[in-house]
Amino acid sequence: MTEKMKKNSPEEKKILAAAGIVGILMLALDLATKLWVVKGFRLHESVDLIPGVLAFTSVRNYGAAWSILSGYGWLLLSFALVTAVLLCIFFRKITEGWSERYFALALLLSGIIGNSSDRFFRGAVVDFIHVHWHDVWHYPVFNVADIAICCGVGIFILSNLLRKNPGEDEK
């Protein structure tokens, strides 16, 4: 698709519905996997999926990415809720009619809601995907909501880099 969608057009309604479904499915997957980890793993229990490379390791994150602002869950929850509300209010303006941005924001919202629900109901975010290289290197443990947030932000950034700015001449 090379042209922007018009507001309230049938095309926009289809894209909005599809993006909504993707967001809901990612949120459901996030919540289901976290519940599975909470019910099925002891804290810090680890199960290798690919020995030396990938494991499920049950941990709790009391901060944001890489435990930044650990212990300030109320602040992170407040920031997430304000961000989610603003994304919803300005959804159409932010997407500027580009279909990929609807999906980017749906993914971002699903991740925000998934991690915020953990902060609200559990006091910490449940993380469990552990990528590492034997005992030499360990990436911080993450979850499905984190994947959704990163993909949403990545898609949005790529869209902004690849789409022409409003008013820019076509060459």
Side-chain angles (χ1 to χ4, degrees), residues 1-5 11 15 94-104 154-171:
M1 178 176 309
T2 58
E3 300 214 7
K4 289 184 177 186
M5 292 178 286
E11 180 184 23
I15 294 295
I94 295 168
T95 61
E96 297 182 295
W98 298 113
S99 59
E100 68 277 2
R101 294 182 190 175
Y102 288 78
F103 290 94
I155 292 167
F156 194 83
I157 289 171
L158 281 173
S159 175
N160 275 283
L161 290 173
L162 298 175
R163 297 289 187 184
K164 293 206 177 280
N165 293 326
E168 191 173 312
D169 293 329
E170 294 287 329
K171 294 182 179 183

PDB file of all heavy atoms in Angstrom, residues 1-5 11 15 94-104 154-171:
ATOM      1  N   MET A   1       0.844  -1.171   0.000  1.00  0.00           N
ATOM      2  CA  MET A   1       0.000   0.000   0.000  1.00  0.00           C
ATOM      3  C   MET A   1       0.889   1.234   0.000  1.00  0.00           C
ATOM      4  O   MET A   1       1.757   1.377   0.837  1.00  0.00           O
ATOM      5  CB  MET A   1      -0.881  -0.033   1.251  1.00  0.00           C
ATOM      6  CG  MET A   1      -1.754   1.146   1.391  1.00  0.00           C
ATOM      7  SD  MET A   1      -2.854   1.025   2.806  1.00  0.00           S
ATOM      8  CE  MET A   1      -3.581  -0.561   2.553  1.00  0.00           C
ATOM      9  N   THR A   2       0.673   2.108  -0.940  1.00  0.00           N
ATOM     10  CA  THR A   2       1.534   3.275  -1.063  1.00  0.00           C
ATOM     11  C   THR A   2       0.810   4.569  -0.710  1.00  0.00           C
ATOM     12  O   THR A   2       1.441   5.595  -0.630  1.00  0.00           O
ATOM     13  CB  THR A   2       2.093   3.384  -2.498  1.00  0.00           C
ATOM     14  OG1 THR A   2       1.003   3.460  -3.409  1.00  0.00           O
ATOM     15  CG2 THR A   2       2.982   2.211  -2.821  1.00  0.00           C
ATOM     16  N   GLU A   3      -0.496   4.529  -0.548  1.00  0.00           N
ATOM     17  CA  GLU A   3      -1.237   5.743  -0.245  1.00  0.00           C
ATOM     18  C   GLU A   3      -1.806   5.674   1.154  1.00  0.00           C
ATOM     19  O   GLU A   3      -2.133   4.602   1.660  1.00  0.00           O
ATOM     20  CB  GLU A   3      -2.363   5.919  -1.264  1.00  0.00           C
ATOM     21  CG  GLU A   3      -1.840   6.024  -2.674  1.00  0.00           C
ATOM     22  CD  GLU A   3      -2.670   6.949  -3.527  1.00  0.00           C
ATOM     23  OE1 GLU A   3      -3.566   7.610  -2.996  1.00  0.00           O
ATOM     24  OE2 GLU A   3      -2.399   6.996  -4.716  1.00  0.00           O
ATOM     25  N   LYS A   4      -1.941   6.843   1.740  1.00  0.00           N
ATOM     26  CA  LYS A   4      -2.540   6.930   3.071  1.00  0.00           C
ATOM     27  C   LYS A   4      -4.022   6.582   2.983  1.00  0.00           C
ATOM     28  O   LYS A   4      -4.675   6.834   1.980  1.00  0.00           O
ATOM     29  CB  LYS A   4      -2.409   8.346   3.620  1.00  0.00           C
ATOM     30  CG  LYS A   4      -1.025   8.733   4.010  1.00  0.00           C
ATOM     31  CD  LYS A   4      -1.062  10.122   4.627  1.00  0.00           C
ATOM     32  CE  LYS A   4       0.295  10.524   5.110  1.00  0.00           C
ATOM     33  NZ  LYS A   4       0.250  11.803   5.826  1.00  0.00           N
ATOM     34  N   MET A   5      -4.525   6.022   4.074  1.00  0.00           N
ATOM     35  CA  MET A   5      -5.951   5.728   4.145  1.00  0.00           C
ATOM     36  C   MET A   5      -6.694   6.971   4.615  1.00  0.00           C
ATOM     37  O   MET A   5      -6.169   7.770   5.378  1.00  0.00           O
ATOM     38  CB  MET A   5      -6.210   4.593   5.147  1.00  0.00           C
ATOM     39  CG  MET A   5      -5.671   3.275   4.699  1.00  0.00           C
ATOM     40  SD  MET A   5      -5.970   2.026   5.941  1.00  0.00           S
ATOM     41  CE  MET A   5      -4.760   2.506   7.155  1.00  0.00           C
ATOM     42  N   GLU A  11     -11.494   0.813   4.080  1.00  0.00           N
ATOM     43  CA  GLU A  11     -10.128   0.296   4.163  1.00  0.00           C
ATOM     44  C   GLU A  11      -9.547   0.536   5.560  1.00  0.00           C
ATOM     45  O   GLU A  11      -8.940  -0.354   6.158  1.00  0.00           O
ATOM     46  CB  GLU A  11      -9.259   0.974   3.107  1.00  0.00           C
ATOM     47  CG  GLU A  11      -7.825   0.497   3.107  1.00  0.00           C
ATOM     48  CD  GLU A  11      -6.959   1.261   2.116  1.00  0.00           C
ATOM     49  OE1 GLU A  11      -7.305   2.402   1.742  1.00  0.00           O
ATOM     50  OE2 GLU A  11      -5.921   0.701   1.740  1.00  0.00           O
ATOM     51  N   ILE A  15      -8.286  -2.301   8.386  1.00  0.00           N
ATOM     52  CA  ILE A  15      -6.942  -2.280   8.975  1.00  0.00           C
ATOM     53  C   ILE A  15      -7.036  -2.122  10.484  1.00  0.00           C
ATOM     54  O   ILE A  15      -6.325  -2.796  11.239  1.00  0.00           O
ATOM     55  CB  ILE A  15      -6.078  -1.149   8.358  1.00  0.00           C
ATOM     56  CG1 ILE A  15      -5.809  -1.425   6.880  1.00  0.00           C
ATOM     57  CG2 ILE A  15      -4.778  -0.955   9.129  1.00  0.00           C
ATOM     58  CD1 ILE A  15      -4.969  -2.654   6.595  1.00  0.00           C
ATOM     59  N   ILE A  94      -1.414   9.902  15.206  1.00  0.00           N
ATOM     60  CA  ILE A  94      -0.092   9.271  15.248  1.00  0.00           C
ATOM     61  C   ILE A  94       0.122   8.364  14.041  1.00  0.00           C
ATOM     62  O   ILE A  94       1.204   8.321  13.469  1.00  0.00           O
ATOM     63  CB  ILE A  94       0.091   8.486  16.564  1.00  0.00           C
ATOM     64  CG1 ILE A  94       0.077   9.447  17.758  1.00  0.00           C
ATOM     65  CG2 ILE A  94       1.385   7.680  16.554  1.00  0.00           C
ATOM     66  CD1 ILE A  94      -0.035   8.760  19.097  1.00  0.00           C
ATOM     67  N   THR A  95      -0.922   7.639  13.638  1.00  0.00           N
ATOM     68  CA  THR A  95      -0.777   6.718  12.505  1.00  0.00           C
ATOM     69  C   THR A  95      -0.671   7.454  11.179  1.00  0.00           C
ATOM     70  O   THR A  95      -0.093   6.917  10.233  1.00  0.00           O
ATOM     71  CB  THR A  95      -1.956   5.735  12.420  1.00  0.00           C
ATOM     72  OG1 THR A  95      -3.168   6.470  12.244  1.00  0.00           O
ATOM     73  CG2 THR A  95      -2.036   4.839  13.629  1.00  0.00           C
ATOM     74  N   GLU A  96      -1.229   8.644  11.105  1.00  0.00           N
ATOM     75  CA  GLU A  96      -1.208   9.459   9.888  1.00  0.00           C
ATOM     76  C   GLU A  96      -1.752   8.714   8.662  1.00  0.00           C
ATOM     77  O   GLU A  96      -1.387   9.015   7.533  1.00  0.00           O
ATOM     78  CB  GLU A  96       0.205   9.970   9.592  1.00  0.00           C
ATOM     79  CG  GLU A  96       0.757  10.891  10.660  1.00  0.00           C
ATOM     80  CD  GLU A  96       2.123  11.415  10.342  1.00  0.00           C
ATOM     81  OE1 GLU A  96       3.063  10.576  10.292  1.00  0.00           O
ATOM     82  OE2 GLU A  96       2.261  12.631  10.131  1.00  0.00           O
ATOM     83  N   GLY A  97      -2.606   7.711   8.905  1.00  0.00           N
ATOM     84  CA  GLY A  97      -3.217   6.991   7.789  1.00  0.00           C
ATOM     85  C   GLY A  97      -2.372   5.880   7.194  1.00  0.00           C
ATOM     86  O   GLY A  97      -2.774   5.252   6.213  1.00  0.00           O
ATOM     87  N   TRP A  98      -1.204   5.581   7.766  1.00  0.00           N
ATOM     88  CA  TRP A  98      -0.345   4.517   7.240  1.00  0.00           C
ATOM     89  C   TRP A  98      -0.686   3.206   7.949  1.00  0.00           C
ATOM     90  O   TRP A  98      -0.636   3.111   9.163  1.00  0.00           O
ATOM     91  CB  TRP A  98       1.135   4.862   7.430  1.00  0.00           C
ATOM     92  CG  TRP A  98       1.554   6.092   6.688  1.00  0.00           C
ATOM     93  CD1 TRP A  98       1.935   7.273   7.219  1.00  0.00           C
ATOM     94  CD2 TRP A  98       1.619   6.262   5.264  1.00  0.00           C
ATOM     95  NE1 TRP A  98       2.249   8.173   6.227  1.00  0.00           N
ATOM     96  CE2 TRP A  98       2.056   7.576   5.015  1.00  0.00           C
ATOM     97  CE3 TRP A  98       1.342   5.428   4.180  1.00  0.00           C
ATOM     98  CZ2 TRP A  98       2.231   8.085   3.730  1.00  0.00           C
ATOM     99  CZ3 TRP A  98       1.528   5.934   2.898  1.00  0.00           C
ATOM    100  CH2 TRP A  98       1.960   7.237   2.685  1.00  0.00           C
ATOM    101  N   SER A  99      -0.995   2.192   7.171  1.00  0.00           N
ATOM    102  CA  SER A  99      -1.507   0.932   7.729  1.00  0.00           C
ATOM    103  C   SER A  99      -0.548   0.262   8.707  1.00  0.00           C
ATOM    104  O   SER A  99      -0.980  -0.266   9.733  1.00  0.00           O
ATOM    105  CB  SER A  99      -1.883  -0.035   6.607  1.00  0.00           C
ATOM    106  OG  SER A  99      -0.763  -0.307   5.794  1.00  0.00           O
ATOM    107  N   GLU A 100       0.742   0.286   8.439  1.00  0.00           N
ATOM    108  CA  GLU A 100       1.678  -0.400   9.335  1.00  0.00           C
ATOM    109  C   GLU A 100       1.716   0.252  10.720  1.00  0.00           C
ATOM    110  O   GLU A 100       1.993  -0.407  11.717  1.00  0.00           O
ATOM    111  CB  GLU A 100       3.095  -0.467   8.738  1.00  0.00           C
ATOM    112  CG  GLU A 100       3.826   0.842   8.624  1.00  0.00           C
ATOM    113  CD  GLU A 100       3.487   1.657   7.372  1.00  0.00           C
ATOM    114  OE1 GLU A 100       2.635   1.241   6.564  1.00  0.00           O
ATOM    115  OE2 GLU A 100       4.107   2.720   7.211  1.00  0.00           O
ATOM    116  N   ARG A 101       1.403   1.530  10.780  1.00  0.00           N
ATOM    117  CA  ARG A 101       1.422   2.218  12.069  1.00  0.00           C
ATOM    118  C   ARG A 101       0.252   1.801  12.963  1.00  0.00           C
ATOM    119  O   ARG A 101       0.368   1.855  14.183  1.00  0.00           O
ATOM    120  CB  ARG A 101       1.453   3.728  11.865  1.00  0.00           C
ATOM    121  CG  ARG A 101       2.759   4.173  11.210  1.00  0.00           C
ATOM    122  CD  ARG A 101       2.828   5.662  11.044  1.00  0.00           C
ATOM    123  NE  ARG A 101       3.991   5.988  10.205  1.00  0.00           N
ATOM    124  CZ  ARG A 101       4.271   7.205   9.798  1.00  0.00           C
ATOM    125  NH1 ARG A 101       3.511   8.227  10.152  1.00  0.00           N
ATOM    126  NH2 ARG A 101       5.335   7.421   9.042  1.00  0.00           N
ATOM    127  N   TYR A 102      -0.854   1.388  12.361  1.00  0.00           N
ATOM    128  CA  TYR A 102      -1.971   0.854  13.155  1.00  0.00           C
ATOM    129  C   TYR A 102      -1.513  -0.411  13.892  1.00  0.00           C
ATOM    130  O   TYR A 102      -1.803  -0.593  15.067  1.00  0.00           O
ATOM    131  CB  TYR A 102      -3.165   0.515  12.262  1.00  0.00           C
ATOM    132  CG  TYR A 102      -3.898   1.719  11.724  1.00  0.00           C
ATOM    133  CD1 TYR A 102      -3.400   2.453  10.654  1.00  0.00           C
ATOM    134  CD2 TYR A 102      -5.110   2.120  12.285  1.00  0.00           C
ATOM    135  CE1 TYR A 102      -4.078   3.554  10.151  1.00  0.00           C
ATOM    136  CE2 TYR A 102      -5.800   3.214  11.790  1.00  0.00           C
ATOM    137  CZ  TYR A 102      -5.274   3.932  10.723  1.00  0.00           C
ATOM    138  OH  TYR A 102      -5.946   5.027  10.238  1.00  0.00           O
ATOM    139  N   PHE A 103      -0.777  -1.264  13.182  1.00  0.00           N
ATOM    140  CA  PHE A 103      -0.262  -2.495  13.792  1.00  0.00           C
ATOM    141  C   PHE A 103       0.807  -2.176  14.833  1.00  0.00           C
ATOM    142  O   PHE A 103       0.850  -2.801  15.892  1.00  0.00           O
ATOM    143  CB  PHE A 103       0.268  -3.448  12.716  1.00  0.00           C
ATOM    144  CG  PHE A 103      -0.809  -4.038  11.878  1.00  0.00           C
ATOM    145  CD1 PHE A 103      -1.172  -3.462  10.676  1.00  0.00           C
ATOM    146  CD2 PHE A 103      -1.496  -5.167  12.306  1.00  0.00           C
ATOM    147  CE1 PHE A 103      -2.191  -3.997   9.911  1.00  0.00           C
ATOM    148  CE2 PHE A 103      -2.515  -5.716  11.548  1.00  0.00           C
ATOM    149  CZ  PHE A 103      -2.867  -5.124  10.349  1.00  0.00           C
ATOM    150  N   ALA A 104       1.655  -1.200  14.534  1.00  0.00           N
ATOM    151  CA  ALA A 104       2.701  -0.812  15.476  1.00  0.00           C
ATOM    152  C   ALA A 104       2.085  -0.355  16.797  1.00  0.00           C
ATOM    153  O   ALA A 104       2.508  -0.792  17.877  1.00  0.00           O
ATOM    154  CB  ALA A 104       3.569   0.293  14.878  1.00  0.00           C
ATOM    155  N   GLY A 154       9.753  -0.702  16.767  1.00  0.00           N
ATOM    156  CA  GLY A 154      10.568  -0.916  15.570  1.00  0.00           C
ATOM    157  C   GLY A 154       9.800  -0.641  14.288  1.00  0.00           C
ATOM    158  O   GLY A 154      10.309   0.038  13.383  1.00  0.00           O
ATOM    159  N   ILE A 155       8.579  -1.157  14.199  1.00  0.00           N
ATOM    160  CA  ILE A 155       7.752  -0.922  13.012  1.00  0.00           C
ATOM    161  C   ILE A 155       7.472   0.571  12.851  1.00  0.00           C
ATOM    162  O   ILE A 155       7.545   1.124  11.752  1.00  0.00           O
ATOM    163  CB  ILE A 155       6.437  -1.726  13.095  1.00  0.00           C
ATOM    164  CG1 ILE A 155       6.716  -3.221  12.979  1.00  0.00           C
ATOM    165  CG2 ILE A 155       5.444  -1.272  12.025  1.00  0.00           C
ATOM    166  CD1 ILE A 155       5.540  -4.109  13.358  1.00  0.00           C
ATOM    167  N   PHE A 156       7.163   1.237  13.955  1.00  0.00           N
ATOM    168  CA  PHE A 156       6.850   2.659  13.899  1.00  0.00           C
ATOM    169  C   PHE A 156       8.073   3.468  13.439  1.00  0.00           C
ATOM    170  O   PHE A 156       7.961   4.367  12.598  1.00  0.00           O
ATOM    171  CB  PHE A 156       6.348   3.154  15.259  1.00  0.00           C
ATOM    172  CG  PHE A 156       5.698   4.495  15.181  1.00  0.00           C
ATOM    173  CD1 PHE A 156       4.368   4.619  14.802  1.00  0.00           C
ATOM    174  CD2 PHE A 156       6.417   5.642  15.456  1.00  0.00           C
ATOM    175  CE1 PHE A 156       3.768   5.856  14.705  1.00  0.00           C
ATOM    176  CE2 PHE A 156       5.830   6.896  15.363  1.00  0.00           C
ATOM    177  CZ  PHE A 156       4.498   7.002  14.988  1.00  0.00           C
ATOM    178  N   ILE A 157       9.229   3.154  13.974  1.00  0.00           N
ATOM    179  CA  ILE A 157      10.454   3.869  13.579  1.00  0.00           C
ATOM    180  C   ILE A 157      10.754   3.633  12.099  1.00  0.00           C
ATOM    181  O   ILE A 157      11.048   4.581  11.358  1.00  0.00           O
ATOM    182  CB  ILE A 157      11.646   3.446  14.464  1.00  0.00           C
ATOM    183  CG1 ILE A 157      11.474   4.015  15.872  1.00  0.00           C
ATOM    184  CG2 ILE A 157      12.972   3.909  13.855  1.00  0.00           C
ATOM    185  CD1 ILE A 157      12.469   3.486  16.884  1.00  0.00           C
ATOM    186  N   LEU A 158      10.677   2.373  11.663  1.00  0.00           N
ATOM    187  CA  LEU A 158      10.918   2.081  10.242  1.00  0.00           C
ATOM    188  C   LEU A 158       9.939   2.825   9.348  1.00  0.00           C
ATOM    189  O   LEU A 158      10.315   3.377   8.310  1.00  0.00           O
ATOM    190  CB  LEU A 158      10.832   0.579   9.983  1.00  0.00           C
ATOM    191  CG  LEU A 158      12.053  -0.233  10.378  1.00  0.00           C
ATOM    192  CD1 LEU A 158      11.767  -1.732  10.230  1.00  0.00           C
ATOM    193  CD2 LEU A 158      13.257   0.165   9.542  1.00  0.00           C
ATOM    194  N   SER A 159       8.675   2.844   9.749  1.00  0.00           N
ATOM    195  CA  SER A 159       7.666   3.554   8.966  1.00  0.00           C
ATOM    196  C   SER A 159       8.010   5.028   8.851  1.00  0.00           C
ATOM    197  O   SER A 159       7.900   5.617   7.771  1.00  0.00           O
ATOM    198  CB  SER A 159       6.286   3.378   9.612  1.00  0.00           C
ATOM    199  OG  SER A 159       5.315   4.149   8.936  1.00  0.00           O
ATOM    200  N   ASN A 160       8.438   5.627   9.952  1.00  0.00           N
ATOM    201  CA  ASN A 160       8.797   7.042   9.923  1.00  0.00           C
ATOM    202  C   ASN A 160      10.038   7.306   9.082  1.00  0.00           C
ATOM    203  O   ASN A 160      10.152   8.358   8.454  1.00  0.00           O
ATOM    204  CB  ASN A 160       8.994   7.577  11.348  1.00  0.00           C
ATOM    205  CG  ASN A 160       7.686   7.995  11.960  1.00  0.00           C
ATOM    206  OD1 ASN A 160       7.164   9.047  11.631  1.00  0.00           O
ATOM    207  ND2 ASN A 160       7.140   7.159  12.814  1.00  0.00           N
ATOM    208  N   LEU A 161      10.953   6.367   9.067  1.00  0.00           N
ATOM    209  CA  LEU A 161      12.159   6.538   8.264  1.00  0.00           C
ATOM    210  C   LEU A 161      11.892   6.351   6.774  1.00  0.00           C
ATOM    211  O   LEU A 161      12.513   7.015   5.937  1.00  0.00           O
ATOM    212  CB  LEU A 161      13.239   5.549   8.711  1.00  0.00           C
ATOM    213  CG  LEU A 161      13.856   5.800  10.079  1.00  0.00           C
ATOM    214  CD1 LEU A 161      14.781   4.641  10.463  1.00  0.00           C
ATOM    215  CD2 LEU A 161      14.613   7.122  10.096  1.00  0.00           C
ATOM    216  N   LEU A 162      10.963   5.444   6.440  1.00  0.00           N
ATOM    217  CA  LEU A 162      10.743   5.091   5.041  1.00  0.00           C
ATOM    218  C   LEU A 162       9.637   5.898   4.359  1.00  0.00           C
ATOM    219  O   LEU A 162       9.615   5.983   3.135  1.00  0.00           O
ATOM    220  CB  LEU A 162      10.430   3.596   4.928  1.00  0.00           C
ATOM    221  CG  LEU A 162      11.562   2.674   5.394  1.00  0.00           C
ATOM    222  CD1 LEU A 162      11.113   1.215   5.353  1.00  0.00           C
ATOM    223  CD2 LEU A 162      12.818   2.878   4.559  1.00  0.00           C
ATOM    224  N   ARG A 163       8.741   6.471   5.139  1.00  0.00           N
ATOM    225  CA  ARG A 163       7.650   7.269   4.554  1.00  0.00           C
ATOM    226  C   ARG A 163       8.092   8.709   4.373  1.00  0.00           C
ATOM    227  O   ARG A 163       8.796   9.259   5.201  1.00  0.00           O
ATOM    228  CB  ARG A 163       6.408   7.231   5.457  1.00  0.00           C
ATOM    229  CG  ARG A 163       5.802   5.876   5.626  1.00  0.00           C
ATOM    230  CD  ARG A 163       5.142   5.423   4.379  1.00  0.00           C
ATOM    231  NE  ARG A 163       4.416   4.154   4.628  1.00  0.00           N
ATOM    232  CZ  ARG A 163       3.821   3.503   3.679  1.00  0.00           C
ATOM    233  NH1 ARG A 163       3.815   3.940   2.445  1.00  0.00           N
ATOM    234  NH2 ARG A 163       3.201   2.380   3.949  1.00  0.00           N
ATOM    235  N   LYS A 164       7.641   9.326   3.296  1.00  0.00           N
ATOM    236  CA  LYS A 164       7.961  10.726   3.040  1.00  0.00           C
ATOM    237  C   LYS A 164       7.207  11.598   4.044  1.00  0.00           C
ATOM    238  O   LYS A 164       6.099  11.288   4.452  1.00  0.00           O
ATOM    239  CB  LYS A 164       7.579  11.120   1.623  1.00  0.00           C
ATOM    240  CG  LYS A 164       8.427  10.402   0.586  1.00  0.00           C
ATOM    241  CD  LYS A 164       8.491  11.237  -0.662  1.00  0.00           C
ATOM    242  CE  LYS A 164       9.370  10.588  -1.673  1.00  0.00           C
ATOM    243  NZ  LYS A 164      10.780  10.810  -1.414  1.00  0.00           N
ATOM    244  N   ASN A 165       7.835  12.697   4.395  1.00  0.00           N
ATOM    245  CA  ASN A 165       7.191  13.663   5.290  1.00  0.00           C
ATOM    246  C   ASN A 165       6.057  14.374   4.550  1.00  0.00           C
ATOM    247  O   ASN A 165       6.134  14.571   3.346  1.00  0.00           O
ATOM    248  CB  ASN A 165       8.198  14.707   5.774  1.00  0.00           C
ATOM    249  CG  ASN A 165       9.244  14.107   6.677  1.00  0.00           C
ATOM    250  OD1 ASN A 165       8.965  13.190   7.432  1.00  0.00           O
ATOM    251  ND2 ASN A 165      10.459  14.640   6.607  1.00  0.00           N
ATOM    252  N   PRO A 166       5.017  14.786   5.296  1.00  0.00           N
ATOM    253  CA  PRO A 166       3.933  15.527   4.640  1.00  0.00           C
ATOM    254  C   PRO A 166       4.468  16.751   3.919  1.00  0.00           C
ATOM    255  O   PRO A 166       5.308  17.473   4.436  1.00  0.00           O
ATOM    256  CB  PRO A 166       3.027  15.935   5.800  1.00  0.00           C
ATOM    257  CG  PRO A 166       3.367  14.993   6.911  1.00  0.00           C
ATOM    258  CD  PRO A 166       4.811  14.618   6.704  1.00  0.00           C
ATOM    259  N   GLY A 167       4.004  16.964   2.698  1.00  0.00           N
ATOM    260  CA  GLY A 167       4.408  18.126   1.921  1.00  0.00           C
ATOM    261  C   GLY A 167       5.712  17.964   1.169  1.00  0.00           C
ATOM    262  O   GLY A 167       6.095  18.819   0.385  1.00  0.00           O
ATOM    263  N   GLU A 168       6.401  16.838   1.390  1.00  0.00           N
ATOM    264  CA  GLU A 168       7.668  16.620   0.689  1.00  0.00           C
ATOM    265  C   GLU A 168       7.360  16.229  -0.751  1.00  0.00           C
ATOM    266  O   GLU A 168       6.487  15.408  -1.022  1.00  0.00           O
ATOM    267  CB  GLU A 168       8.453  15.499   1.379  1.00  0.00           C
ATOM    268  CG  GLU A 168       9.871  15.387   0.900  1.00  0.00           C
ATOM    269  CD  GLU A 168      10.645  14.365   1.734  1.00  0.00           C
ATOM    270  OE1 GLU A 168      10.565  14.426   2.976  1.00  0.00           O
ATOM    271  OE2 GLU A 168      11.293  13.512   1.127  1.00  0.00           O
ATOM    272  N   ASP A 169       8.034  16.840  -1.681  1.00  0.00           N
ATOM    273  CA  ASP A 169       7.783  16.565  -3.100  1.00  0.00           C
ATOM    274  C   ASP A 169       8.156  15.140  -3.467  1.00  0.00           C
ATOM    275  O   ASP A 169       9.168  14.621  -3.023  1.00  0.00           O
ATOM    276  CB  ASP A 169       8.584  17.535  -3.978  1.00  0.00           C
ATOM    277  CG  ASP A 169       8.102  18.960  -3.841  1.00  0.00           C
ATOM    278  OD1 ASP A 169       6.908  19.167  -3.587  1.00  0.00           O
ATOM    279  OD2 ASP A 169       8.950  19.861  -3.975  1.00  0.00           O
ATOM    280  N   GLU A 170       7.340  14.546  -4.294  1.00  0.00           N
ATOM    281  CA  GLU A 170       7.652  13.216  -4.838  1.00  0.00           C
ATOM    282  C   GLU A 170       8.698  13.424  -5.936  1.00  0.00           C
ATOM    283  O   GLU A 170       8.550  14.264  -6.814  1.00  0.00           O
ATOM    284  CB  GLU A 170       6.402  12.580  -5.456  1.00  0.00           C
ATOM    285  CG  GLU A 170       5.314  12.259  -4.457  1.00  0.00           C
ATOM    286  CD  GLU A 170       5.661  11.065  -3.602  1.00  0.00           C
ATOM    287  OE1 GLU A 170       6.360  10.171  -4.091  1.00  0.00           O
ATOM    288  OE2 GLU A 170       5.227  11.033  -2.447  1.00  0.00           O
ATOM    289  N   LYS A 171       9.778  12.668  -5.881  1.00  0.00           N
ATOM    290  CA  LYS A 171      10.835  12.821  -6.891  1.00  0.00           C
ATOM    291  C   LYS A 171      10.944  11.603  -7.724  1.00  0.00           C
ATOM    292  O   LYS A 171      10.740  10.527  -7.364  1.00  0.00           O
ATOM    293  CB  LYS A 171      12.164  13.121  -6.198  1.00  0.00           C
ATOM    294  CG  LYS A 171      12.110  14.455  -5.520  1.00  0.00           C
ATOM    295  CD  LYS A 171      13.447  14.777  -4.875  1.00  0.00           C
ATOM    296  CE  LYS A 171      13.361  16.136  -4.220  1.00  0.00           C
ATOM    297  NZ  LYS A 171      14.574  16.561  -3.639  1.00  0.00           N
TER     298      LYS A 171
END
